[in-house]
Amino acid sequence: MDPWTLEYEGPDPQGALVRETLCTLGNGYFATRGAPPEAGAGSTCYPGTYVAGCYDRAVSTVADRRVDNEDLVNVPNWLPLTFRPEDGDWFGEPAAGLPQRTELDMRRGTLTRTFHTVHAGRRTHVTQCRLVSMDDPHLATLRTTLTPENWAGTVVVRSALDGTVSNRGVARYRDLNGRHLAPLGAGSENTGTAWLRCRTLTSGVEIVLASRTLVTRDGRATSCATPTSDDWAATDLTLNVRTGEPTTVEKTVALYTSRDRAVGDCLDAALHALDRAGDFSELARRHEAAWRHLWETCSVEVDSERDQRLLNLHLFHLLQTLSPHTPDLDVGVPARGLHGEAYRGHVFWDEVFVLPFLNLRFPQTARGLLRYRWRRLPRARASARAAGLRGALFPWQSASDGREETQELHLNPRSGHWLPDNSHLQRHVGLAVAYNVWQHYRVTGDVAFLCEFGAELLLEVARAFADMAVFDEELDRFVIRGVMGPDEYHDGYPGRAVPGLDDNAYTNVMTVWVLLRALDILRMLPGPFREELQESLGLEADEIARFESVSRGLHVPFHEGVISQFAHYEDLDELDWEAYQGVRRLDRALEAEGDDCNHYRAAKQADVLMLFLLLSEEEITDILERLGHARDPELVPRTIDHYLARTAHGSSLSSVAHAWVLSRTDREASWEFFRDALGTDVEGAPDGSTAEGIHMGAMAGTVDILTRCHTGLAVREGVLHLSPRLPADLDRLSFDLRCLRQGRVRVEVFRDRVRVSVPASGGPPVTVRVGVHLVRVRPGTACLLPLA
């Protein structure tokens, strides 16, 4: 089977929504789910289209409480296209019992359907191909070819723009208000052009779609009739068809919003885009060329057909959500891509899994995502002030303006109960922002990035966490109280009325790391920039001294010879794991039984172990030694074993973290976790929610495991470091990089050697270190280095 295609034969009502998610097409600006053009929203179909960064707020009443949520808006549906014989009904779905096939071509970025319809015995073969242009981010096109197999006569084709949609893509949200669009009018012309305007209800974003639908046969277009309403516009085309002769309808759509740059009137912009757009073939040619350039930059190749196809799928959906069009859009990393409405399209901390991939291939995209955080510093500073802190506290869930978007209540679908949600206590999202700033600098060597806004971001996070640490006289240590860690199953102590945990080890160790990086930045910034930044922030010598004090005195709890997930973790009960074998969402299962995860040593996903993904063992050991703990070479493996036995893997990120953490101690187990993460969306996500959107962090994490974890890849001071240790099931791995200072690099890893090649260019040589070997690879040459 072709590793570049995802193929489906026949109908699959049970898996149709997952299929639509995986067949989503996008370009970083907008994306459309792989729903059939002839179908509306229903139990087996949901034709959502989402524009990056287009959010709207709606108010609902839940459990007698007024709750407002900000959603990534399901904008008007551009897909609708159906047809009928002149005296028949509109086509609704493919004929049962006849061949149906859907093929996603990931190399070309196209989705093709072939099927048959039957109207009163008249059988028609239909082929449809669509794309969302990676060349021009405002354009999409759908080509439909009708071939009558046993009849001839008149056919009416209807092409529409549907503004009656709402956010209804997640079943557990359907009791909430999902209406976000107000119609502003629609229209159509006899030339085959239609248009539709609407505006989001509270955020006031204007959204405009314009379509051009033409039927071409012997070079002639047919006549048109045009029904419209305020929130729906259509073009009807009447044509004569002959037995065995194909007739092709091309629908091209332009989408603009008032958030776009260099746009006056959105409708004028959309109509102008249609005027300059070529036909389907021309749009496809340019679109496929754009995809070819993307694949040349970021392909990853392994010697397993199954794994190769899934890797291609992961890369494909990453690039459809975060593309070279992204840096100008002021958007973050939506946890579920632009593929559905789970998590309401919010931004969490998934960029900590995504940016390593982007830093080494699309550094400008990575920088654009960090700028999204920087633009929201005013809100983060206000949150810190409200908590009595200096600096900035970033929200666990973010959307349009950077306020905290975490729900106050969440629904347990197993019990039907609405429960308090304390996830806003996951303060570690700010630590992830600071970590991403430093890693971007380390890979790119871009001091100008630090001077422009990167240093400000990291320092403001450091200030908040330094202030969050308070001195405990009894412990003779600084402590951080009232937080949640990445685990998410623990949000408080049994019997304590106030939510939050004390001294979450992940939070405290990463706090020390961030404070050390803040001190590094203050030492390395050019004098004038440092002085100006300190003055603008009001960062005085006593606060810098506090960075030093907290980084030497923060409490990290231990028990039974391992790092404790949080203070008093050892007081929790052990869970009867045999009774809950195979249950990943323990929180839902226990709550439905009247119990609570807070009573048990049971984690949803890696918490303490996330430290071993983000930091090297040497970095962790150095931090613990700085805090006064003796070096213990067995600490890391003991800690891994302890939590591995107590993790339910209720998150798609859990397998990613464990695959990384185990790669140096148990490569067989690491590979099993990697392959589990690789199949998350195709073979079944832990939460069973792929129908509501892909899992961005897991998709990026799998690529990162192969290209950084198993190769030991790092870029430090302009040198490409490699120290590969391939898993037993992997004999060859190759991938492409594009670093800011070094240009494009091709890396091929075998069991006994590494080959690094640099395409011909006018750029400088690439310096590579593999073990004791340090070589400079000139453009147009390659080097082959042995592995010890």
Side-chain angles (χ1 to χ4, degrees):
M1 188 178 292
D2 184 353
W4 289 99
T5 62
L6 200 62
E7 300 172 0
Y8 299 95
E9 299 286 347
D12 179 16
Q14 296 301 315
L17 293 174
V18 172
R19 179 187 299 189
E20 288 180 8
T21 297
L22 297 179
C23 289
T24 294
L25 297 181
N27 56 25
Y29 175 76
F30 80 97
T32 298
R33 290 170 55 84
E38 69 277 2
S43 60
T44 61
C45 180
Y46 192 73
T49 292
Y50 308 96
V51 176
C54 182
Y55 291 97
D56 188 63
R57 192 172 299 280
V59 175
S60 307
T61 301
V62 178
D64 297 324
R65 293 172 63 178
R66 184 180 185 273
V67 176
D68 70 85
N69 291 296
E70 191 170 45
D71 294 340
L72 184 67
V73 176
N74 180 20
V75 304
N77 182 15
W78 66 269
L79 284 175
L81 188 139
T82 187
F83 59 92
R84 61 177 176 84
E86 191 173 34
D87 59 348
D89 297 327
W90 292 109
F91 159 62
E93 60 185 27
L98 293 175
Q100 302 176 36
R101 189 168 185 270
T102 302
E103 179 183 293
L104 175 69
D105 185 331
M106 294 174 277
R107 191 191 296 275
R108 297 171 58 238
T110 58
L111 182 65
T112 303
R113 298 172 71 215
T114 57
F115 56 92
H116 291 80
T117 71
V118 178
H119 290 85
R122 291 172 289 196
R123 194 163 88 170
T124 306
H125 181 268
V126 183
T127 300
Q128 290 183 319
C129 184
R130 75 176 78 161
L131 62 87
V132 174
S133 177
M134 191 60 80
D135 171 63
D136 185 328
H138 296 279
L139 294 178
T141 185
L142 170 69
R143 181 176 64 189
T144 302
T145 300
L146 310 176
T147 306
E149 295 187 339
N150 61 353
W151 66 285
T154 302
V155 171
V156 179
V157 175
R158 172 164 289 178
S159 170
L161 302 172
D162 182 6
T164 65
V165 300
S166 61
N167 280 53
R168 304 286 293 167
V170 178
R172 60 189 176 279
Y173 300 164
R174 286 179 191 154
D175 289 339
L176 306 177
N177 182 4
R179 183 171 172 266
H180 293 290
L181 299 177
L184 296 179
S188 59
E189 301 173 2
N190 287 334
T191 58
T193 300
W195 57 269
L196 184 149
R197 281 184 188 263
C198 61
R199 180 179 289 122
T200 56
L201 290 171
T202 58
S203 58
V205 178
E206 184 178 356
I207 304 163
V208 170
L209 287 83
S211 65
R212 178 191 66 200
T213 307
L214 301 174
V215 178
T216 303
R217 190 183 66 191
D218 299 329
R220 295 190 302 272
T222 66
S223 59
C224 310
T226 53
T228 62
S229 65
D230 281 348
D231 53 10
W232 191 84
T235 299
D236 282 1
L237 305 105
T238 304
L239 56 147
N240 294 317
V241 296
R242 300 173 183 172
T243 306
E245 294 186 8
T247 299
T248 297
V249 179
E250 293 185 2
K251 178 180 185 179
T252 302
V253 175
L255 192 163
Y256 280 80
T257 81
S258 55
R259 297 182 77 247
D260 296 330
R261 298 171 186 265
V263 170
D265 179 78
C266 291
L267 180 56
D268 286 345
L271 293 173
H272 179 67
L274 288 181
D275 286 342
R276 69 175 187 269
D279 61 10
F280 183 93
S281 296
E282 174 62 15
L283 290 171
R285 183 188 66 78
R286 297 174 65 88
H287 166 76
E288 291 168 21
W291 268 109
R292 184 171 64 254
H293 298 153
L294 290 179
W295 289 122
E296 288 171 354
T297 299
C298 62
S299 65
V300 179
E301 298 173 8
V302 296
D303 50 10
S304 161
E305 184 179 279
R306 177 262 189 190
D307 296 345
Q308 185 66 64
R309 181 179 299 105
L310 293 176
L311 274 171
N312 290 342
L313 183 70
H314 287 198
L315 285 163
F316 180 68
H317 286 306
L318 278 170
L319 294 171
Q320 292 195 123
T321 306
L322 303 168
S323 77
H325 300 300
T326 299
D328 263 353
L329 299 180
D330 186 35
V331 296
V333 179
R336 305 304 284 272
L338 299 175
H339 297 64
E341 296 165 16
Y343 301 153
R344 304 186 179 282
H346 290 171
V347 175
F348 292 72
W349 70 323
D350 294 74
E351 65 248 56
V352 83
F353 298 92
V354 173
L355 259 66
F357 165 79
L358 296 173
N359 285 335
L360 289 163
R361 294 161 183 89
F362 303 99
Q364 293 304 324
T365 301
R367 183 168 171 162
L369 297 173
L370 290 168
R371 193 179 288 277
Y372 165 87
R373 293 294 191 180
W374 176 76
R375 288 192 178 109
R376 284 147 186 82
L377 262 179
R379 282 279 188 176
R381 286 174 172 137
S383 295
R385 286 196 302 272
L389 309 172
R390 291 169 290 193
L393 282 180
F394 283 93
W396 175 234
Q397 295 188 36
S398 178
S400 61
D401 61 10
R403 77 181 73 178
E404 179 63 76
E405 299 294 349
T406 300
Q407 291 88 349
E408 297 177 7
L409 300 171
H410 70 268
L411 175 68
N412 180 356
R414 193 157 180 166
S415 67
H417 298 156
W418 287 93
L419 307 168
D421 191 329
N422 296 311
S423 298
H424 66 279
L425 297 176
Q426 293 194 68
R427 304 298 194 186
H428 61 82
V429 66
L431 300 171
V433 172
Y435 178 87
N436 290 332
V437 168
W438 184 256
Q439 297 305 324
H440 183 70
Y441 162 70
R442 289 294 300 274
V443 170
T444 64
D446 189 356
V447 178
F449 153 72
L450 288 181
C451 292
E452 185 182 352
F453 69 91
E456 183 181 11
L457 259 178
L458 192 149
L459 287 170
E460 287 291 77
V461 171
R463 298 177 80 191
F465 279 86
D467 275 7
M468 207 182 301
V470 296
F471 193 75
D472 185 297
E473 297 285 350
E474 185 175 343
L475 287 172
D476 194 28
R477 290 274 182 178
F478 289 96
V479 297
I480 294 178
R481 298 190 175 109
V483 302
M484 283 177 63
D487 159 38
E488 296 186 337
Y489 275 178
H490 296 89
D491 65 352
Y493 291 101
R496 184 188 287 186
V498 179
L501 304 165
D502 300 337
D503 291 323
N504 171 254
Y506 172 84
T507 301
N508 286 17
V509 171
M510 289 305 300
T511 293
V512 173
W513 186 90
V514 168
L515 292 174
L516 293 175
R517 300 295 77 76
L519 293 170
D520 286 342
I521 281 181
L522 289 171
R523 281 190 292 267
M524 63 182 286
L525 278 180
F529 286 102
R530 181 182 64 250
E531 293 163 9
E532 182 179 329
L533 180 59
Q534 285 187 229
E535 182 180 2
S536 67
L537 296 180
L539 182 60
E540 303 288 350
D542 62 336
E543 196 173 356
I544 297 171
R546 183 176 176 82
F547 290 0
E548 182 74 28
S549 298
V550 174
S551 73
R552 292 188 181 277
L554 195 54
H555 181 48
V556 174
F558 288 78
H559 75 282
E560 299 170 14
V562 303
I563 302 172
S564 297
Q565 186 170 312
F566 47 81
H568 309 301
Y569 175 86
E570 67 275 12
D571 296 336
L572 304 183
D573 295 333
E574 291 284 7
L575 184 73
D576 182 358
W577 287 96
E578 187 173 339
Y580 293 93
Q581 188 173 9
V583 178
R584 297 208 188 202
R585 289 306 304 265
L586 281 173
D587 56 337
R588 294 175 177 175
L590 289 172
E591 191 278 329
E593 297 170 2
D595 207 342
D596 189 341
C597 280
N598 284 325
H599 294 109
Y600 302 102
R601 301 186 190 183
K604 177 182 180 181
Q605 59 191 337
D607 191 301
V608 174
L609 301 192
M610 271 296 298
L611 291 170
F612 308 137
L613 187 155
L614 299 185
L615 306 179
S616 68
E617 186 172 340
E618 181 181 2
E619 285 178 297
I620 294 170
T621 301
D622 287 347
I623 286 173
L624 292 178
E625 189 173 36
R626 182 182 181 87
L627 294 173
H629 302 284
R631 286 184 176 266
D632 180 355
E634 297 303 313
L635 174 64
V636 171
R638 278 200 309 270
T639 301
I640 291 172
D641 289 344
H642 181 87
Y643 291 104
L644 189 60
R646 293 167 174 81
T647 303
H649 306 294
S651 163
S652 62
L653 296 176
S654 191
S655 291
V656 171
H658 283 83
W660 185 290
V661 168
L662 289 168
S663 64
R664 294 297 185 263
T665 60
D666 187 343
R667 285 193 285 169
E668 183 177 346
S670 170
W671 189 248
E672 290 178 6
F673 275 116
F674 165 75
R675 299 192 90 232
D676 183 63
L678 198 61
T680 290
D681 282 304
V682 175
E683 297 165 359
D687 57 6
S689 64
T690 298
E692 303 163 359
I694 59 162
H695 294 75
M696 279 287 290
M699 287 190 166
T702 56
V703 178
D704 202 33
I705 288 167
L706 283 180
T707 57
R708 283 203 310 138
C709 178
H710 290 313
T711 66
L713 170 66
V715 179
R716 294 192 292 270
E717 298 176 355
V719 178
L720 187 64
H721 294 257
L722 292 161
S723 54
R725 291 185 65 193
L726 293 183
D729 292 335
L730 192 62
D731 293 322
R732 175 183 172 274
L733 167 65
S734 62
F735 54 93
D736 294 295
L737 307 173
R738 179 173 288 168
C739 303
L740 190 65
R741 292 187 295 178
Q742 298 165 313
R744 189 172 155 213
V745 180
R746 175 79 169 175
V747 177
E748 297 173 272
V749 180
F750 305 89
R751 294 215 162 269
D752 59 348
R753 64 196 187 280
V754 173
R755 186 175 190 270
V756 178
S757 55
V758 181
S761 73
V766 175
T767 304
V768 179
R769 178 181 287 280
V770 178
V772 298
H773 303 283
L774 182 68
V775 298
R776 287 164 62 84
V777 187
R778 297 189 310 276
T781 68
C783 71
L784 193 64
L785 300 172
L787 295 177

